[in-house]
Amino acid sequence: MPGGSAAADALSPSLPRDTSIPCVSCDVRSRAVCAVMSDDELGRLSKLTQNQTYAPGEALFFEGDEAGACFIVQDGALKLYKLLPDGRRQITGFLFKGDFLGLSPKEEYGFTAEVLEEAHACVLPAERMDELIADYPKLSNRLLNLASMELASAQEQMLLLGRKTAQERIASFLLWLSQRAADRGEESNPVRVPMSRGDMGDYLGLTVETVSRSITKLKTTGVITLKEGNRIEINDPELMTAIAAGDGC
């Protein structure tokens, strides 16, 4: 779950670009795993990939499917989840524009990737991705950096689930969504919330009712305002940050 300033530094706006190559003119290039590749290298990549559109509720793949492809999210939002033996669901992450998924150390995917809102993705066969990694060491380094960021995110998730109250979890999550939007160069406040309250609960370890109560409390105390289009205005970012840290109301 991924982005970064190093990726932006890899692109110099003063350098000429071959705009006849789709990957070169792609607007997620500066944030995606392919940010470290040159125009010529992207030319090779563009010949190996296909662009696909996925409807809300559609799965890019299911847990247990053969790990046959990698994906770069060009637009939209997805949720990643695992099912427990008793049928309960644990959402392990959310992906947005520029994020990468699908590379698996095993022959099968370890989770399901489901679309929250219409998504567009660049799809690359897994064996072709392995070839690119072998041919371009900088791509391997980029993937290592992304894996390190995913590990840090997993540690944050453990903190959320293990130590924070419901109110602190909701505040932390909304601030995280805001920061992710800012990293993508999009409006960060109001916060766009493409997932349902049930999804939020399954990610934060809360019931739907608890998620709703926590959001209502933030609303009635004036910290947030619920707006149309699944957006939430953070009226007092400082207080929101304090709540997330356990120092607020």
Side-chain angles (χ1 to χ4, degrees):
M1 301 190 245
S5 59
D9 292 341
L11 299 175
S12 172
S14 62
L15 294 176
R17 296 180 179 177
D18 185 352
T19 55
S20 66
I21 301 173
C23 290
V24 171
S25 56
C26 177
D27 67 350
V28 302
R29 176 185 176 184
S30 64
R31 294 180 297 276
V33 64
C34 50
V36 294
M37 301 179 75
S38 68
D39 286 5
D40 288 343
E41 293 164 349
L42 286 173
R44 177 182 172 186
L45 176 64
S46 67
K47 295 176 182 178
L48 302 174
T49 59
Q50 290 185 338
N51 294 328
Q52 299 285 352
T53 298
Y54 301 90
E58 187 175 357
L60 275 65
F61 52 80
F62 292 96
E63 181 180 356
D65 283 353
E66 180 184 355
C70 299
F71 305 80
I72 298 172
V73 182
Q74 296 173 309
D75 201 7
L78 300 90
K79 60 185 176 186
L80 311 179
Y81 65 85
K82 294 179 69 70
L83 292 177
L84 301 178
D86 61 4
R88 286 179 296 166
R89 181 185 69 167
Q90 175 65 51
I91 291 181
T92 59
F94 297 98
L95 298 185
F96 304 96
K97 185 176 181 177
D99 285 341
F100 175 81
L101 74 158
L103 198 62
S104 175
K106 300 180 180 180
E107 294 181 357
E108 299 176 345
Y109 293 118
F111 53 85
T112 296
E114 183 179 317
V115 176
L116 291 169
E117 56 185 14
E118 183 175 273
H120 303 271
C122 182
V123 185
L124 175 68
E127 62 271 19
R128 300 283 89 81
M129 187 66 188
D130 290 339
E131 292 171 6
L132 290 173
I133 292 172
D135 290 346
Y136 306 126
K138 58 189 173 183
L139 186 58
S140 178
N141 291 336
R142 173 75 170 143
L143 284 167
L144 180 60
N145 289 336
L146 294 180
S148 297
M149 294 170 65
E150 287 185 4
L151 178 58
S153 178
Q155 292 171 335
E156 281 294 319
Q157 174 74 347
M158 291 173 64
L159 175 63
L160 276 178
L161 297 178
R163 295 298 178 188
K164 293 197 172 187
T165 66
Q167 192 81 345
E168 291 164 5
R169 294 181 201 186
I170 294 296
S172 297
F173 182 69
L174 293 176
L175 288 171
W176 176 77
L177 283 179
S178 177
Q179 184 58 56
R180 285 301 312 271
D183 291 343
R184 297 191 301 273
E186 299 173 358
E187 183 181 37
S188 60
N189 196 21
V191 182
R192 178 94 170 89
V193 185
M195 61 287 298
S196 69
R197 295 187 180 186
D199 289 337
M200 292 171 64
D202 285 349
Y203 179 68
L204 298 170
L206 303 170
T207 65
V208 176
E209 293 77 16
T210 301
V211 170
S212 295
R213 283 197 300 270
S214 298
I215 290 176
T216 298
K217 183 178 180 181
L218 290 171
K219 175 187 174 184
T220 55
T221 54
V223 182
I224 64 172
T225 299
L226 304 184
K227 305 179 75 69
E228 294 181 356
N230 297 323
R231 295 178 303 149
I232 295 178
E233 180 88 41
I234 300 176
N235 299 320
D236 192 335
E238 290 187 5
L239 179 54
M240 187 74 132
T241 301
I243 293 171
D247 299 326
C249 59

